[in-house]
Amino acid sequence: MTQENQPVTTQNENQIIAERRSKLTELRKVGNAFPNIFRRDNIASQLHEQYDERSKELLEESAVTVKVAGRMVLKRIMGKASFATIQDMSGRIQLYISNDHTGQDNHEAFKHYDLGDILGAQGKLFKTKTGELSIRVTNCQLLTKCLRPLPEKFHGLTDQEQKYRQRYLDLITNEETRKVFSIRSKTIHAIREFFVARDYLEVETPMMHPIPGGASARPFATHHNALDMSLYLRIAPELYLKRLVIGGMEKVFEINRNFRNEGISTRHNPEFTMLEFYEAYQDYTYLMDFTEKMLGEVAERVLGTRKIIYQEREIDLTKPFQRLTITQAIQKFHPEYTDVQLNDRDYLADKLQKLRIKTHSHDGIGGLQLSLFDETTEHLLFEPTFIIDYPAEVSPLARRNDDNAEITDRFELYIAGREIANGFSELNDPEDQATRFQAQVEAKDAGDDEAMHYDADYIRALEYGLPPTAGEGIGIDRLVMLFADSANIRDVILFPQLRRED
RNA sequence: GGGUCGUUAGCUCAGCUGGUAGAGCAGCGGACUUUUAAUCCGUUGGUCGUGAGUUCGAAUCUCACACGGCCUACCA
């Protein structure tokens, strides 16, 4: 990497870069090759919005002077006049550079500018004979030399790996990519406003945890030198956010990264963005209503509609989402399973073995039902669906159901076959929580390396009293995938994790 | 992790059953004062992912490795 900072010898480079580098050398000789004195007054989209509809004649009469800057992405030289298209953060605008208006010297200099160079230009708006809004440039200057050639102007950058490694090139070339990240930004912004409007307090809790907790997952480990202690990148903020509710922050949310040291796939990146929120004096049924409302409003604000198209299928966020228990969901898609079978531990264990699905010896009926659901039904839940009543054995932080201690007041929301949200009434009984942690420790000792640790500090916090609370997590990347119609999580993360390049 | 397809010029891609590489774009030179993926003429540019093997001869066949795409399994 340090090599990148050294002047690279031209013999190692292809001739295109060598050519551009020699142009830069010439620029250095005649002045500051990287001037920062140009200030623009206009951006492309604003000009189009304001003047696209104005007639050619009227535009000529009004003689609007504008000043723009951007990267040159197209260039057409025709002797004594040239056209160039520059691209800024908002879009594109065409420049007309000619001996008549720009001057011969300036035009000759322009001819040696390369695609990718950053230009500043000033001039009057006009319309070409095909009606395209353009700038008749009176002065054009090179603001930053681009030493490396851009991807091919028509096909753009298509190599998936290169799009991820050199995202800036992907952004320069592909309008679609710019749109995806605009949707991402708007989604997060809309969510933030949704919470702020409801008097939630936004907080940041630690990314480095002495005890990784709040989820079942393998953490990344690191070490603090001065304290000489092991730390883990957080797998979830949950236990810290609930400490805040104990402290009196009765409505809190955090939008931030989680890190899980597990596989990478089209749906998993080692670091991913999670929304978690907690509200005191509410329960999980409130959360389900709240989630329906939030997703509908966010979609409306980001996309202008609550009926989104994902991978050519419509997802309707306008109506209440279906709510099914785990066994109801299994039976909906697989009516061959009877109530008796689904509540028969031996039958389930046998069936799962036949389906070659891993089970643990300590799995109860609920755990086995969940395994069967994950395997046979989860991917079929395309329409937004809340799956409710998760077994207590797989929900160590959720409140037990008042009528059935084997299940918890918990749901997961599935859309397009993927888990999008996970919410529950929080377990606020410190003694039950201690028992559940103990069970996790036993599972860990039995070889489950995703099981939780015993967090004594969290138990101490609970002993001060967590008000009855509802809490939920929503995977932001997966939500953005839905909104941006992306099949791969890497397409909605600017710099997804990749292998080392060398 | 398993399966499968791929890696050729800066970019997008051809390259057949083996005879040591082509196009378009970009670049360079020239023509052209309303083009728009500008056009036209000329031209530079490649250790064909890496390493071995088969062969008189390998981008092409075989094997191994590296990296990547897609599918698949587990975590959100």
Side-chain angles (χ1 to χ4, degrees):
Chain A
M1 276 302 138
T2 50
Q3 251 185 336
E4 297 294 322
N5 298 325
Q6 308 293 325
V8 187
T9 50
T10 51
Q11 60 191 7
N12 294 329
E13 296 178 338
N14 77 64
Q15 62 172 25
I16 293 178
I17 297 175
E19 179 69 34
R20 290 179 177 220
R21 202 176 285 280
S22 77
K23 287 178 180 176
L24 175 60
T25 304
E26 291 306 309
L27 286 171
R28 289 189 199 278
K29 286 180 187 160
V30 298
N32 190 341
F34 293 89
N36 186 355
I37 51 169
F38 184 90
R39 301 289 171 258
R40 67 178 169 191
D41 295 327
N42 310 88
I43 59 170
S45 66
Q46 169 246 324
L47 294 176
H48 287 295
E49 276 161 32
Q50 212 170 337
Y51 298 107
D52 271 353
E53 300 309 314
R54 193 170 293 194
S55 77
K56 194 170 170 158
E57 296 71 25
L58 200 58
L59 200 58
E60 220 43 78
E61 262 175 53
S62 39
V64 188
T65 299
V66 299
K67 216 174 160 187
V68 296
R71 189 183 294 275
M72 181 163 67
V73 291
L74 290 172
K75 180 187 175 193
R76 297 173 286 279
I77 296 173
M78 299 170 303
K80 299 189 179 63
S82 301
F83 284 94
T85 301
I86 63 167
Q87 177 171 290
D88 65 23
M89 61 186 279
S90 73
R92 294 179 169 195
I93 185 84
Q94 180 168 265
L95 307 180
Y96 178 69
I97 294 133
S98 65
N99 286 359
D100 289 352
H101 301 92
T102 321
Q104 191 170 348
D105 290 351
N106 204 174
H107 185 214
E108 285 305 317
F110 166 84
K111 287 182 183 177
H112 293 97
Y113 295 171
D114 293 299
L115 291 184
D117 287 354
I118 312 281
L119 309 183
Q122 188 170 10
K124 288 192 170 59
L125 288 178
F126 77 109
K127 280 196 173 174
T128 64
K129 64 183 181 189
T130 51
E132 178 168 350
L133 185 71
S134 308
I135 300 169
R136 191 181 287 121
V137 172
T138 51
N139 184 273
C140 175
Q141 52 181 306
L142 179 55
L143 304 180
T144 305
K145 186 71 196 163
C146 173
L147 291 176
R148 293 176 179 270
L150 293 183
E152 204 253 4
K153 65 187 174 190
F154 187 58
H155 298 92
L157 189 62
T158 60
D159 182 81
Q160 283 299 326
E161 183 191 1
Q162 208 179 350
K163 278 161 67 85
Y164 302 142
R165 285 197 195 280
Q166 294 181 275
R167 185 65 90 180
Y168 44 90
L169 286 182
D170 187 26
L171 289 166
I172 290 168
T173 357
N174 297 319
E175 167 74 27
E176 189 53 36
T177 303
R178 292 193 289 274
K179 194 175 157 204
V180 166
F181 290 102
S182 166
I183 287 174
R184 182 177 179 116
S185 172
K186 285 176 184 160
T187 301
I188 292 172
H189 187 246
I191 289 171
R192 185 167 273 130
E193 293 207 326
F194 186 88
F195 281 98
V196 170
R198 285 161 180 75
D199 296 322
Y200 274 76
L201 202 61
E202 181 170 14
V203 297
E204 295 92 36
T205 59
M207 309 298 274
M208 296 193 290
H209 292 182
I211 298 172
S216 301
R218 298 213 301 270
F220 287 92
T222 185
H223 183 260
H224 190 284
N225 290 338
L227 296 175
D228 188 23
M229 67 187 281
S230 294
L231 287 170
Y232 301 89
L233 297 188
R234 76 178 192 190
I235 54 175
E238 171 153 354
L239 301 184
Y240 284 89
L241 290 170
K242 283 194 278 197
R243 283 176 174 98
L244 296 179
V245 180
I246 293 167
M249 292 184 174
E250 293 166 357
K251 294 165 125 186
V252 285
F253 76 102
E254 176 166 8
I255 298 173
N256 225 321
R257 231 67 69 80
N258 289 344
F259 306 86
R260 299 190 183 174
N261 203 343
E262 289 164 354
I264 295 176
S265 77
T266 50
R267 285 170 288 278
H268 301 88
N269 194 58
E271 54 180 302
F272 61 99
T273 301
M274 188 86 165
L275 158 71
E276 282 207 14
F277 61 98
Y278 292 82
E279 180 165 342
Y281 311 112
Q282 296 294 359
D283 70 0
Y284 78 126
T285 59
Y286 168 84
L287 289 179
M288 287 190 275
D289 297 340
F290 188 92
T291 303
E292 283 169 358
K293 190 171 169 53
M294 174 171 64
L295 293 185
E297 272 192 33
V298 170
E300 179 90 46
R301 286 197 50 192
V302 173
L303 304 170
T305 172
R306 295 181 187 219
K307 293 186 178 183
I308 63 179
I309 302 293
Y310 186 71
Q311 309 290 294
E312 295 173 354
R313 290 175 70 178
E314 186 180 272
I315 297 171
D316 189 349
L317 299 174
T318 57
K319 48 189 184 191
F321 305 162
Q322 227 181 114
R323 299 179 186 191
L324 300 172
T325 65
I326 290 169
T327 51
Q328 283 169 347
I330 293 172
Q331 285 175 319
K332 181 179 175 190
F333 291 93
H334 306 280
E336 67 271 21
Y337 293 107
T338 66
D339 288 344
V340 174
Q341 288 172 333
L342 290 177
N343 287 291
D344 179 339
R345 193 182 188 288
D346 293 337
Y347 173 84
L348 287 171
D350 185 55
K351 188 78 194 172
L352 288 168
Q353 198 174 8
K354 279 184 187 147
L355 291 170
R356 286 184 294 177
I357 301 166
K358 279 180 290 185
T359 57
H360 302 288
S361 55
H362 56 266
D363 279 343
I365 280 196
L368 295 176
Q369 288 170 343
L370 185 60
S371 294
L372 186 65
F373 165 80
D374 285 345
E375 189 67 23
T376 63
T377 306
E378 174 182 321
H379 63 279
L380 301 173
L381 296 171
F382 195 86
E383 289 286 317
T385 308
F386 288 114
I387 300 299
I388 56 172
D389 295 353
Y390 274 70
E393 58 183 296
V394 297
S395 312
L397 303 169
R399 177 191 174 85
R400 288 186 202 277
N401 184 272
D402 288 345
D403 300 323
N404 179 357
E406 292 305 304
I407 60 172
T408 54
D409 289 343
R410 175 183 170 193
F411 66 86
E412 288 193 355
L413 171 63
Y414 289 86
I415 304 178
R418 293 186 200 124
E419 183 187 338
I420 295 292
N422 176 19
F424 41 85
S425 302
E426 301 299 335
L427 173 57
N428 62 343
D429 174 345
E431 293 175 355
D432 189 1
Q433 184 67 76
T435 308
R436 307 257 204 116
F437 274 156
Q438 199 53 52
Q440 288 289 307
V441 170
E442 279 157 25
K444 194 175 253 324
D445 290 344
D448 183 353
D449 53 10
E450 288 179 358
M452 294 181 189
H453 294 74
Y454 191 99
D455 190 335
D457 180 73
Y458 179 66
I459 297 293
R460 177 174 64 179
L462 279 186
E463 285 169 354
Y464 283 94
L466 170 67
T469 297
E472 179 173 344
I474 295 183
I476 295 297
D477 310 278
R478 290 186 178 176
L479 188 62
V480 174
M481 285 169 73
L482 291 180
F483 288 170
D485 194 15
S486 297
N488 192 329
I489 198 168
R490 291 174 168 182
D491 291 326
V492 302
I493 293 174
L494 281 167
F495 298 100
Q497 199 60 49
L498 303 169
R499 274 176 216 276
R500 262 209 317 272
E501 194 166 5
D502 46 73

